[in-house]
Amino acid sequence: MKVSLQKSISEFQRALNQSKNMPEAHFGMAKAYGKTGEIEKAKEHIQKAEEHIASKREDHYNEFLNEIYLNEILDFKKSLEE
């Protein structure tokens, strides 16, 4: 595994240690695991990202830095099935 992917996974895990409900961290973990070929782990994290995306934002009129959207999650989830 490349050092940058190991570092990414480590940082996303650190974020998840702070809050298990952070869809951005689960999404990032899914993408990193997808790149390493660990598809089952990628699927696990993309599922968690999808589960937590709805509870993420109460204010639908403001955008946030690095905000992810359900369609991005669903697109990546579909790519894991191909």
Side-chain angles (χ1 to χ4, degrees):
M1 184 182 328
K2 293 182 180 180
V3 173
S4 61
L5 288 174
Q6 288 175 336
K7 178 73 171 162
S8 295
I9 289 169
S10 173
E11 291 300 315
F12 289 127
Q13 188 57 56
R14 192 164 65 116
L16 290 171
N17 289 340
Q18 298 293 315
S19 174
K20 296 285 183 200
N21 301 332
M22 190 178 297
E24 293 89 353
H26 284 295
F27 185 63
M29 290 281 275
K31 290 181 84 173
Y33 280 128
K35 287 182 180 181
T36 66
E38 297 177 79
I39 302 304
E40 289 307 311
K41 286 184 179 181
K43 287 179 180 181
E44 176 185 328
H45 282 284
I46 202 66
Q47 183 63 39
K48 288 180 182 179
E50 184 179 358
E51 290 170 7
H52 296 297
I53 192 75
S55 62
K56 184 182 135 186
R57 300 281 186 248
E58 298 290 323
D59 184 352
H60 299 285
Y61 296 101
N62 289 317
E63 289 190 33
F64 296 86
L65 182 64
N66 299 322
E67 184 171 11
I68 62 169
Y69 297 93
L70 181 59
N71 65 323
E72 292 175 281
I73 292 170
L74 296 176
D75 288 346
F76 187 73
K77 186 177 181 180
K78 184 178 177 184
S79 76
L80 290 173
E81 300 299 328
E82 295 175 348

